[in-house]
């Protein structure tokens, strides 16, 4: 294994002056947004041109709150399918659009609802804590939902007399067990993008940027989490970047996050964790949303997120419990 980097690192540096003017397509999106009385909610992992036209950029929890509270007629959700579904679950009166219905999630796919139903039937009494990265049908089978930002709090509040099944991310679940001391059964799922980070590559990057703290997402494998200076959700990363005395920060999560961090802490230097020989670890599902598809979704009011009302109502209960326990 080479002792030096085998790629040119992706680095976002402070830039002087004003941001570049909006492109024609971005202007078109903003005009359509007004015409449709739409709100654009974008996840931290979206590409920069989409983040720039969004009304709110955040993590799943922040986006779910925004979706619940909005009075706009249309929610244009720039993220992946389970996130747009969550918006529909919490605010069914709104039309929810997702620019590309194929924007899925490997974590969500690793836990099909039928398999979870079988598991529950074989293990009666198990208390199901599901990471928000799962389908509406899986949420409907869960007792409570959590995000990476509130997982420690949610698991700490789960009934002590029940055995917990944590689904679907085994890495996040393992981190929660380590931090809370609460034993849990872990569903064998993972995020294909976060599992690409390796401790060896992060160490090489650290040697290149001495003094830069490593901030890693809890969906990373334990070897990566173990060498990180901070393990936290994407919103935790924003807080860390704003408050750390360090000027350079190595960011070990999906690459879109660097754009959000750059806006929130413009005086800092952000270095992306690599995926193999690629300097930036992109989730191909998150990147399916493009400005063209965002514009077309607003123009055509399609593709829409719909689900049977029985599933929506069953999925709302564990989300509402998460909201209540997060206060
Ligand atoms: O919860 C989310 O939005 C994800 C996928 C990551 C994070 O930590 O914000």
């Amino acid at each position: 294994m080479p002792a030096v980097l085998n790629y040119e690192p992706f680095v976002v540096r402070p830039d002087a002056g004003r941001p570049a003017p909006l492109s024609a397509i971005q202007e078109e999106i903003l005009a359509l947004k007004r015409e449709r009385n739409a709100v654009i909610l974008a996840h931290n992992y979206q590409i920069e041109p989409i983040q720039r036209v969004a009304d709110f950029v955040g993590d799943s929890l922040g986006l779910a709150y925004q979706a619940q509270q909005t009075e706009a007629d249309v929610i244009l959700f720039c993220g992946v399918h389970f996130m747009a579904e969550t918006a529909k679950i919490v605010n069914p009166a709104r039309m929810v659009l997702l620019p590309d219905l194929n924007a899925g999630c490997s974590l969500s796919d690793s836990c099909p609802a039928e398999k979870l139903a079988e598991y529950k039937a074989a293990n009666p009494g198990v208390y199901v804590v599901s990471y928000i990265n799962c389908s509406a049908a899986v949420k409907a089978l869960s007792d409570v939902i959590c995000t990476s930002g509130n997982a420690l709090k949610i698991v700490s509040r789960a009934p002590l007399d029940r055995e917990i099944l944590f689904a679907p991310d085994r890495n996040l679940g393992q981190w929660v067990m380590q931090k809370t001391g609460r034993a849990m059964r872990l569903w064998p799922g993972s995020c294909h993008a976060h599992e690409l980070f390796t401790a060896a590559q992060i160490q090489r990057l650290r040697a290149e940027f001495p003094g830069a703290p490593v901030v890693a997402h809890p969906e990373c494998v334990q070897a990566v989490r173990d060498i990180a200076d901070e393990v936290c959700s994407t919103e935790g990363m924003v807080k860390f970047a704003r408050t750390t005395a360090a000027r350079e920060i190595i960011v070990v999560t999906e690459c879109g996050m660097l754009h959000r961090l750059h806006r929130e802490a413009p005086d800092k230097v952000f270095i992306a964790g690599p995926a193999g020989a690629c300097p930036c670890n992109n989730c191909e599902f998150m990147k399916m949303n493009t400005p063209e598809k965002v514009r077309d979704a607003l123009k055509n009011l399609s593709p829409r997120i719909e689900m049977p009302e029985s599933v929506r109502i069953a999925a709302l209960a564990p989300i509402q419990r998460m909201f209540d326990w997060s206060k």
Side-chain angles (χ1 to χ4, degrees):
M1 195 175 286
V4 291
L5 295 182
N6 54 351
Y7 64 93
E8 188 61 34
F10 178 71
V11 181
V12 174
R13 300 181 189 281
D15 48 17
R18 286 182 294 177
L22 292 179
S23 65
I25 192 156
Q26 285 173 312
E27 296 288 5
E28 214 180 330
I29 290 169
L30 293 179
L32 280 162
K33 183 171 80 95
R34 284 189 293 273
E35 200 179 302
R36 297 298 194 192
N37 187 25
V39 65
I40 301 183
L41 304 182
H43 191 266
N44 287 328
Y45 296 158
Q46 291 296 286
I47 57 172
E48 198 266 348
I50 290 182
Q51 292 197 18
R52 255 190 100 186
V53 294
D55 296 283
F56 180 85
V57 180
D59 68 348
S60 303
L61 183 63
L63 292 165
Y65 279 126
Q66 292 290 328
Q68 190 188 41
Q69 285 156 16
T70 189
E71 289 181 0
D73 295 324
V74 175
I75 299 173
L76 178 72
F77 205 104
C78 298
V80 292
H81 194 271
F82 76 83
M83 297 177 178
E85 266 188 345
T86 304
K88 188 69 184 175
I89 293 166
V90 299
N91 200 342
R94 314 294 159 201
M95 179 190 295
V96 177
L97 305 174
L98 180 67
D100 189 327
L101 280 185
N102 292 318
C105 169
S106 58
L107 247 179
S108 180
D109 291 349
S110 67
C111 187
E114 319 79 69
K115 292 269 178 248
L116 180 58
E118 275 169 28
Y119 186 93
K120 284 183 68 174
N123 297 273
V126 78
Y127 192 84
V128 181
V129 180
S130 291
Y131 188 26
I132 199 162
N133 297 37
C134 62
S135 66
V138 164
K139 288 184 176 78
L141 293 169
S142 305
D143 292 289
V144 65
I145 302 302
C146 71
T147 68
S148 45
N150 62 17
L152 300 177
K153 197 184 248 184
I154 299 297
V155 167
S156 303
R157 291 198 57 171
L160 289 171
D161 59 345
R162 303 271 297 274
E163 196 161 356
I164 298 177
L165 169 70
F166 189 92
D169 190 338
R170 62 179 167 211
N171 294 310
L172 175 65
Q174 189 188 44
W175 177 71
V176 171
M177 282 206 289
Q178 287 167 339
K179 300 296 273 187
T180 61
R182 181 89 195 253
M184 301 191 295
R185 300 184 194 181
L186 303 179
W187 190 269
S190 61
C191 163
H192 73 300
H194 282 92
E195 282 211 328
L196 289 180
F197 294 115
T198 67
Q201 282 204 300
I202 305 301
Q203 293 289 37
R204 280 198 288 265
L205 198 53
R206 185 179 245 163
E208 198 83 5
F209 296 89
V214 172
V215 187
H217 196 272
E219 288 175 27
C220 294
V221 297
Q222 183 172 359
V224 170
R225 298 195 314 266
D226 282 350
I227 58 160
D229 297 280
E230 184 79 15
V231 177
C232 56
S233 68
T234 55
E235 289 305 311
M237 290 179 183
V238 170
K239 279 194 198 104
F240 182 86
R242 284 196 191 131
T243 52
T244 181
R247 185 156 183 280
E248 297 181 330
I249 305 167
I250 296 173
V251 181
V252 187
T253 192
E254 211 273 351
C255 209
M257 187 60 202
L258 272 73
H259 305 302
R260 170 84 197 282
L261 287 168
H262 177 59
R263 269 203 319 284
E264 300 285 350
D267 54 328
K268 301 280 162 86
V269 176
F270 298 103
I271 304 122
C278 181
C280 211
N281 192 347
N282 281 304
C283 165
E284 65 273 30
F285 298 116
M286 283 283 176
K287 269 41 187 188
M288 280 183 176
N289 297 320
T290 61
E292 288 75 15
K293 289 182 197 171
V294 171
R295 177 203 52 205
D296 293 348
L298 281 173
K299 222 184 234 176
N300 305 326
L301 295 178
S302 162
R304 294 182 196 184
I305 298 287
E306 308 283 1
M307 74 193 71
E309 185 61 3
S310 56
V311 173
R312 190 193 72 76
I313 297 219
L316 180 60
I319 295 177
Q320 190 55 52
R321 189 163 293 125
M322 170 182 77
F323 286 154
D324 295 343
W325 288 6
S326 298
K327 281 178 193 152

